[in-house]
């Protein structure tokens, strides 16, 4: 089958989808204008974002098998309808002064669209970039992280000139168009497809392809211990990252005395490290491997969480925070490629969806843990001790996972060697084993 699609345009299509749904992270720019315009409470407005984030992770898990069955194009189209409708519908909710409708549109519909739209292009990208899995998924997830950076100033400017409702209408329609354009081009490659340069290198012996550890369905994958080790590692990494993001400004002001303006600047820079970490760590993983990258995440975060309670230097504090946030972003971008390495690409989208339940759960646990500890102890310092313990667990799991991978690889090599031996040798080996067993 001749391939007529350009894989870099496939990557661009994935980025356009992720840029659109990632715009939802700019929700905070709407809070004060909506509150001032229609009088809703900040808690009520924020609740819509909480619903959206919770549903995004749940939808990713629930609709993962749907994406695998129906393909990325149809799935991304459905995501475009749900997300675009949710954002534009939020404008209607503001116009008619209905908080319930706002929760249903911005929260529920956008959350479903975000979850489906997040996983729809990722498994496809992994198949188009067998030679650079990390880079491919890193590009898409970078788009997700950059969505808010682009949307926030545009939304703020539009609200000031044409009003809140019209802003939601324009942005909702824009997201829909951008996602539909991306969905229209995206498609899976033929089974076993490889780029021409990769095929030549393999044929000439210049390059060897490291085969996936296994080819499992989603149902088979969740029965393995390595799935649950990866799930636990992701949960802790996400919880630590979202904890840091949720209280970065007040924590910096309390722990090292950073000014409010300085803390606001730090929060902005955190967005850059979040997005940059998604691309940077993913690209690095193509050379050092996904297990090594996750081990590095937890080593760096251990250093950060052990060091922060004992420092007063503002620059060092910010540098450590940026490291934690980059690991948070890097975890998301490395996850799809890691899934492909461990379980193959047979049902990557479905497995990815199951693992993204850590996104929803971590989004709840991170802010909850830090707020409860701060309330009970009246200090942020104990938070770092608690997370040092959690990151230690994640570090140990990453070591165990790497050992488990090496064990399975060794067993496969031994099986292949035994299969490759002449039959007469294998028969002698069998007789020898039977004799010894007696």
């Amino acid at each position: 089958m001749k391939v007529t699609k350009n894989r870099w345009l496939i990557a661009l299509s994935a980025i356009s989808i992720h840029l659109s749904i990632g715009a939802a992270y700019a929700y905070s720019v709407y809070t004060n204008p909506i509150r001032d315009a229609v009088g809703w409470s900040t808690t009520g407005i924020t609740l819509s974002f909480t619903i959206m984030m919770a549903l995004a992770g749940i939808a990713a898990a629930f609709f993962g098998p749907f994406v695998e069955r129906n393909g990325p194009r149809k799935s991304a189209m459905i995501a475009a309808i749900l997300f675009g409708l949710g954002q534009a519908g939020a404008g209607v909710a503001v116009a008619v002064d209905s908080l319930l409708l706002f929760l249903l549109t911005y929260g529920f519909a956008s959350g479903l669209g975000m979850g489906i739209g997040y996983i729809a292009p990722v498994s496809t990208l992994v198949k188009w970039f067998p030679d650079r899995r990390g880079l491919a998924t890193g590009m898409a997830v970078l788009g997700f992280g950059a969505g808010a950076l682009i949307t926030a100033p545009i939304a703020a400017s539009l609200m000031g000139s044409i009003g809140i409702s019209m802003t939601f209408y324009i942005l909702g329609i824009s997201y829909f168009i951008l996602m539909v354009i991306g969905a229209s081009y995206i498609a899976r490659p033929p089974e076993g497809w490889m780029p021409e340069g990769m095929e030549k290198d393999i044929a000439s012996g210049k390059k060897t392809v490291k085969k996936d550890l296994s080819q499992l369905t989603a149902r088979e994958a969740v029965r393995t211990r390595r799935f649950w080790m990866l799930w636990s590692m992701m949960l802790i990494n996400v919880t630590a990252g979202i904890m840091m993001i949720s209280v970065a400004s007040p924590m910096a002001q309390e722990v090292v005395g950073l000014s409010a303006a300085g803390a606001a600047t730090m929060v902005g820079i955190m967005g850059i490290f979040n997005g940059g970490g998604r691309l940077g760590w993913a690209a690095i993983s193509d050379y050092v491997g996904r297990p090594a990258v996750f081990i590095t995440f937890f080593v760096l975060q251990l250093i950060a969480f052990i060091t922060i309670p004992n420092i007063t230097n503002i620059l060092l504090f910010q540098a450590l925070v940026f490291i934690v946030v980059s690991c948070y972003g890097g975890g998301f971008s490395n996850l799809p490629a890691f899934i492909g390495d461990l379980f193959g690409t047979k049902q990557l989208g479905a497995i990815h969806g199951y693992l993204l339940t850590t996104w929803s759960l971590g989004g709840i646990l991170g802010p909850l843990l830090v707020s409860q500890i701060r309330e009970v102890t009246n200090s942020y310092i104990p938070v770092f001790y608690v997370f040092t313990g959690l990151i230690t667990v994640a570090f140990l799991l990453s070591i165990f996972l790497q050992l488990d991978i090496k064990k399975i690889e060794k067993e496969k090599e031994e099986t292949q060697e035994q299969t490759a031996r002449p039959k007469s040798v294998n028969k002698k080996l069998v007789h020898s084993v039977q004799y010894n067993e007696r």
Side-chain angles (χ1 to χ4, degrees):
M1 179 178 175
K2 188 177 179 180
V3 178
T4 57
K5 289 185 178 290
N6 184 300
R7 66 174 180 161
W8 293 102
L9 291 180
I10 293 283
L12 190 60
S13 299
I15 291 171
S16 71
I17 295 169
H18 272 226
L19 268 174
S20 301
I21 59 175
Y25 269 118
Y27 86 102
S28 59
V29 301
Y30 303 117
T31 305
N32 289 342
I34 292 174
R35 184 194 61 201
D36 296 340
V38 293
W40 299 342
S41 68
T42 301
T43 302
I45 299 168
T46 305
L47 178 60
S48 65
F49 180 75
T50 304
I51 292 171
M52 178 176 63
M53 295 308 298
L55 272 174
I58 294 170
F62 187 78
F63 286 98
F66 175 88
V67 174
E68 289 297 334
R69 286 194 307 270
N70 295 278
R73 180 175 300 164
K74 185 175 181 179
S75 302
M77 286 289 187
I78 292 172
I81 293 169
L82 286 168
F83 192 76
L85 186 64
Q87 296 292 300
V92 178
V94 172
V96 300
D97 192 6
S98 173
L99 179 58
L100 176 60
L101 182 59
F102 191 78
L103 297 177
L104 290 173
T105 53
Y106 194 91
F108 191 82
S110 293
L112 289 176
M114 178 186 284
I116 300 170
Y118 189 93
I119 60 173
V122 172
S123 60
T124 303
L125 268 184
V126 170
K127 293 169 185 175
W128 277 105
F129 287 83
D131 53 336
R132 305 175 80 178
R133 281 180 173 175
L135 176 64
T137 56
M139 286 188 294
V141 182
L142 172 63
F144 186 82
L149 294 176
I150 296 171
T151 297
I154 293 174
S157 176
L158 287 173
M159 284 190 288
S161 58
I162 61 176
I164 300 168
S165 291
M166 283 300 297
T167 297
F168 276 122
Y169 299 152
I170 290 172
L171 290 179
I173 293 170
S174 299
Y175 300 146
F176 173 77
I177 293 171
L178 197 58
M179 291 177 76
V180 166
I181 291 172
S184 299
Y185 191 80
I186 201 164
R188 291 169 177 158
E191 189 69 28
W193 178 86
M194 286 188 292
E196 184 178 346
M198 186 176 178
E199 287 182 316
K200 288 181 179 178
D201 288 342
I202 292 172
S204 64
K206 290 182 180 179
K207 189 171 186 177
T208 57
V209 179
K210 186 177 180 181
K211 293 184 178 180
D212 298 331
L213 202 62
S214 55
Q215 289 290 334
L216 303 181
T217 64
R219 184 172 294 182
E220 291 168 339
V222 297
R223 293 174 182 168
T224 65
R225 60 178 175 268
R226 58 188 181 276
F227 173 90
W228 291 105
M229 283 192 280
L230 182 56
W231 187 91
S232 301
M233 288 157 51
M234 274 299 298
L235 177 61
I236 293 172
N237 195 60
V238 170
T239 302
I242 291 181
M243 177 280 293
M244 192 68 80
I245 291 169
S246 68
V247 294
S249 179
M251 182 185 285
Q253 293 177 61
E254 180 181 307
V255 175
V256 292
L258 194 63
S259 67
T265 301
M266 183 190 79
V267 170
I269 297 173
M270 283 170 64
I272 297 173
F273 276 85
N274 184 0
R278 292 168 190 259
L279 183 60
W281 285 115
I284 290 171
S285 75
D286 283 332
Y287 297 95
V288 303
R290 260 63 71 174
V293 165
F294 270 84
I295 291 171
T296 304
F297 286 163
F298 300 127
V299 169
L300 291 174
Q301 289 181 85
L302 269 176
I303 293 170
F305 285 117
I306 291 170
T307 305
I308 287 176
N310 303 303
I311 61 172
T312 56
N313 184 279
I314 292 175
L315 291 178
L316 180 57
F317 174 86
Q318 292 181 92
L320 293 172
V321 170
F322 296 151
I323 287 172
V324 173
V325 173
S326 78
C327 293
Y328 165 75
F332 281 113
S333 61
N334 274 282
L335 181 60
F338 207 171
I339 293 168
D341 296 344
L342 294 178
F343 308 112
T345 58
K346 184 188 292 186
Q347 291 192 352
L348 193 151
I351 300 169
H352 190 205
Y354 291 153
L355 282 161
L356 283 177
T357 54
T358 58
W359 185 15
S360 295
L361 190 55
I364 297 170
L365 288 177
L368 182 64
L369 276 173
V370 69
S371 61
Q372 289 297 313
I373 295 170
R374 175 66 177 80
E375 187 175 330
V376 171
T377 64
N378 200 34
S379 171
Y380 283 112
I381 298 301
V383 173
F384 298 105
Y385 301 139
V386 171
F387 275 88
T388 295
L390 291 173
I391 295 297
T392 300
V393 172
F395 171 69
L396 292 174
L397 285 171
S398 67
I399 296 293
F400 293 148
L401 179 57
Q402 187 177 49
L403 292 174
D404 192 52
I405 292 169
K406 288 183 177 180
K407 179 184 176 183
I408 295 172
E409 287 176 339
K410 186 177 180 182
E411 290 173 350
K412 287 177 70 176
E413 286 177 5
E414 290 175 350
T415 302
Q416 289 171 354
E417 287 175 2
Q418 187 173 341
T419 305
R421 291 173 185 169
K423 289 183 179 180
S424 58
V425 175
N426 285 333
K427 285 179 181 179
K428 289 180 181 179
L429 181 63
V430 170
H431 290 313
S432 175
V433 170
Q434 287 175 344
Y435 177 80
N436 290 331
E437 284 178 347
R438 292 182 195 137

